[in-house]
Amino acid sequence: MIRVLIDLEGIDGCGKSTQCKLLKEKLERIGKNVIILKEPTNEPHGQKLWDVLHGKRKATNEEILEFFILDRKQHVEEKIQPALDQGTVVIMDRYYYSSMAYQVAGGLDVNYIRNKHDFAPTPDIVLIFDLPVSTALERVRGHSEADEFEKEEHLEKVREAYLNLKDDPIVTIFDATKSPNNIFENVWNSISEIIDE
């Protein structure tokens, strides 16, 4: 059975959720069972994260990482691994590569974060959608409530941390300033290499 786990990443406003939707539709058209899973989840540890993101709760960067790990362990056990075991293509709208960007931007070591995720299935491919922070903030401010991580200086560090993942063999970085259809054409060219049609 083919096991496919695809992770879509980038700062808020980069268009990854749109690409998740386009990818799911395309994969379903070629007969694949597909599920989109999003992190943080709405489970108890995920709710703690949402409270931090929306300024309702204070936490250190290390505590935030621990919340993510606890939330992710439950997500892997209850949703991600069972879907993979059934041969479903799993599309992640953020996964542990988010921690390798956001928590690195907060001062943690990328290898420390990677090692903390030895329980998590490794993605087959990680797609990072890159665009200037100013452009991302313009998009986000129009239709989403700002959170603690939508501060420009921090997002510049997050963007840099994402770009520093370019040498990871499973990472592909896309120019997210292009039109969604143009971006998706490039996404599909990358994805089709790992999909057994």
Side-chain angles (χ1 to χ4, degrees):
M1 185 178 292
I2 300 295
R3 162 211 176 282
V4 180
L5 175 58
I6 303 165
D7 178 23
L8 280 70
E9 296 283 352
I11 59 176
D12 286 345
C14 70
K16 64 182 168 46
S17 296
T18 297
Q19 295 302 317
C20 282
K21 180 172 175 287
L22 292 172
L23 185 54
K24 182 175 188 284
E25 290 170 354
K26 174 75 171 181
L27 288 167
E28 287 177 339
R29 282 199 298 274
I30 64 170
K32 301 296 181 185
N33 291 322
V34 188
I35 187 170
I36 296 174
L37 297 174
K38 188 175 176 66
E39 291 189 349
T41 72
N42 290 318
E43 298 299 327
H45 294 296
Q47 283 298 330
K48 289 177 185 176
L49 284 162
W50 286 116
D51 287 346
V52 172
L53 294 172
H54 294 131
K56 298 175 184 174
R57 180 188 189 114
K58 294 291 182 186
T60 65
N61 204 31
E62 184 74 51
E63 287 170 337
I64 291 169
L65 178 61
E66 287 305 314
F67 289 154
F68 265 114
I69 287 170
L70 291 168
D71 186 46
R72 202 162 276 137
K73 279 183 176 174
Q74 183 176 358
H75 203 199
V76 167
E77 184 179 325
E78 295 181 0
K79 297 283 177 71
I80 299 171
Q81 193 61 58
L84 292 172
D85 290 344
Q86 292 168 7
T88 300
V89 176
V90 176
I91 299 173
M92 296 299 301
D93 186 341
R94 294 203 191 285
Y95 192 36
Y96 65 81
Y97 275 72
S98 281
S99 294
M100 289 163 60
Y102 280 84
Q103 273 63 67
V104 164
L108 297 183
D109 178 73
V110 68
N111 290 319
Y112 170 75
I113 294 168
R114 193 189 294 269
N115 292 337
K116 294 276 266 184
H117 286 88
D118 58 356
F119 64 88
T122 304
D124 294 280
I125 190 168
V126 178
L127 312 177
I128 296 174
F129 299 94
D130 177 59
L131 78 170
V133 168
S134 57
T135 305
L137 287 173
E138 283 172 19
R139 293 180 181 180
V140 169
R141 284 177 184 142
H143 52 76
S144 129
E145 64 179 296
D147 64 34
E148 283 293 297
F149 294 143
E150 282 171 15
K151 295 175 178 172
E152 192 160 356
E153 185 179 354
H154 183 72
L155 283 181
E156 291 288 0
K157 293 178 183 176
V158 174
R159 182 190 184 196
E160 181 182 358
Y162 269 128
L163 292 175
N164 284 341
L165 295 169
K166 66 184 181 301
D167 294 329
D168 186 315
I170 61 172
V171 166
T172 303
I173 297 175
F174 298 91
D175 178 357
T177 63
K178 297 179 179 178
S179 72
N181 287 338
N182 186 295
I183 296 167
F184 183 70
E185 187 176 330
N186 293 324
V187 165
W188 185 250
N189 286 339
S190 295
I191 293 293
S192 58
E193 295 176 10
I194 62 168
I195 296 292
D196 173 26
E197 295 192 36

